[in-house]
Amino acid sequence: MIVVTGATGNIGRSLVGRLLEEGVPVRALTRDPARAGLPVRTEVVRADLMADTDLVPLLSGADALFLNLAAGGESAQRLIDAAVEAKVPRLVFNSSLGVTDTPADETNFISRSHASVERAVRASGLEWTFLRAGNYATNALGWAPAVRGNGVVRDPHPGAQGAPIHEADLADAAAVALLDRTGTHVHQVHRLTGPEVLTNAQQVAAIAEAIGRPVRIEQIPEDEAAEAMVGPHLPLAAARELIGLFGRTVDAPAFPVTDTVARVTGHPARPFAQWARDHAADFS
């Protein structure tokens, strides 16, 4: 039985479906089971990882845990400790390509938070696999209201480059690691990207093609973009860090394209154009 945190997010939802296809029982943790909308075979359990004091019962009987910081990053250490106490053998962590295992990990919000959790997982004694990914294709969903509205995406760096990865590829890789019976993926760091480098402008063009109508991109100041990103889990200082990181990819992508998706899952990474077609309804 696999416990999935962030089960109603983009990666988690895909992962739940993938595990069920394999006939594996899934316990999905969510703040609001009534609105989860997960398949009927899923054991959906109410869990507020930021508030629940005893996390051990949530992990009781689990063979593996999928940990995603989006489900409650500040509770990561408590979840790791609970996994140890509940005798969960394996943990697969949705980490970040920003983690380099060097002092550079302390220079920005994303790397810092994920590197800290990686260190805690390594120290736990659990079997672990780290899925380091970046440039999620689903980041483009942030443009959806503008695309549905006036068809103008406002972005500080139209020329920023990355290799966006489809959430289904991350879910497939996570499922392989979670269900690994040979130990092939134990204590392995997998660096995952999409199959091609695209600029933000090229991603917008792919979305336009998928929905069959014009969409254009318009450059805005970095400060304006950072203020728009601020939320409960992303303070302004962190947003500015991220915008600055994106800006540096205008000259070259931050991370090289890897073939890890193909090596881990057995199939090529899905291109962004496919992702845009899969999500055309979100932009229409």
Side-chain angles (χ1 to χ4, degrees):
M1 186 270 290
I2 310 297
V3 174
V4 177
T5 65
T8 58
N10 294 300
I11 300 169
R13 191 175 292 278
S14 293
L15 176 58
V16 168
R18 179 74 180 80
L19 292 170
L20 291 175
E21 287 174 3
E22 294 291 325
V24 177
V26 177
R27 180 180 297 157
L29 307 185
T30 177
R31 292 183 181 89
D32 190 351
R35 299 177 60 187
L38 292 167
V40 292
R41 289 180 293 151
T42 312
E43 179 191 357
V44 183
V45 176
R46 195 210 72 80
D48 184 343
L49 301 180
M50 303 293 287
D52 290 351
T53 54
D54 187 2
L55 301 178
V56 175
L58 300 175
L59 306 179
S60 176
D63 296 292
L65 167 66
F66 178 71
L67 177 60
N68 190 336
L69 290 192
E74 296 175 12
S75 298
Q77 183 64 64
R78 293 174 55 236
L79 266 170
I80 295 165
D81 293 342
V84 172
E85 186 174 344
K87 296 182 170 53
V88 179
R90 179 174 299 171
L91 186 152
V92 174
F93 176 43
N94 186 58
S95 190
S96 168
L97 271 174
V99 179
T100 62
D101 301 314
T102 72
D105 291 344
E106 300 306 312
T107 62
N108 69 80
F109 171 78
I110 294 294
S111 299
R112 194 161 51 243
S113 58
H114 287 84
S116 173
V117 174
E118 285 196 10
R119 288 192 295 269
V121 173
R122 289 178 193 269
S124 70
L126 299 172
E127 294 182 352
W128 55 262
T129 305
F130 298 152
L131 305 179
R132 292 182 183 171
N135 299 115
Y136 297 150
T138 51
N139 290 346
L141 291 173
W143 299 330
V147 174
R148 291 194 301 266
N150 61 5
V152 179
V153 170
R154 306 176 77 241
D155 188 88
H157 306 297
Q161 303 176 66
I165 183 169
H166 198 303
E167 66 273 15
D169 286 332
L170 278 167
D172 287 348
V176 169
L178 289 162
L179 302 178
D180 176 23
R181 288 183 169 85
T182 64
T184 302
H185 302 281
V186 172
H187 298 165
Q188 296 297 307
V189 176
H190 293 317
R191 297 173 60 83
L192 301 138
T193 73
E196 59 187 340
V197 172
L198 298 172
T199 65
N200 286 353
Q202 288 171 321
Q203 291 179 50
V204 168
I207 292 167
E209 182 174 353
I211 65 176
R213 59 184 175 84
V215 182
R216 65 182 177 87
I217 191 166
E218 177 183 287
Q219 190 166 14
I220 60 172
E222 288 190 351
D223 282 347
E224 182 179 343
E227 289 170 4
M229 290 176 65
V230 172
H233 304 294
L234 188 67
L236 180 58
R240 285 176 171 153
E241 281 184 356
L242 289 177
I243 293 295
L245 289 173
F246 297 152
R248 290 195 284 277
T249 69
V250 170
D251 297 322
F255 314 110
V257 172
T258 72
D259 65 351
T260 310
V261 168
R263 288 190 292 104
V264 172
T265 69
H267 66 72
R270 297 165 173 90
F272 185 81
Q274 179 177 340
W275 180 90
R277 291 191 297 271
D278 292 342
H279 288 269
D282 294 312
F283 295 94
S284 301

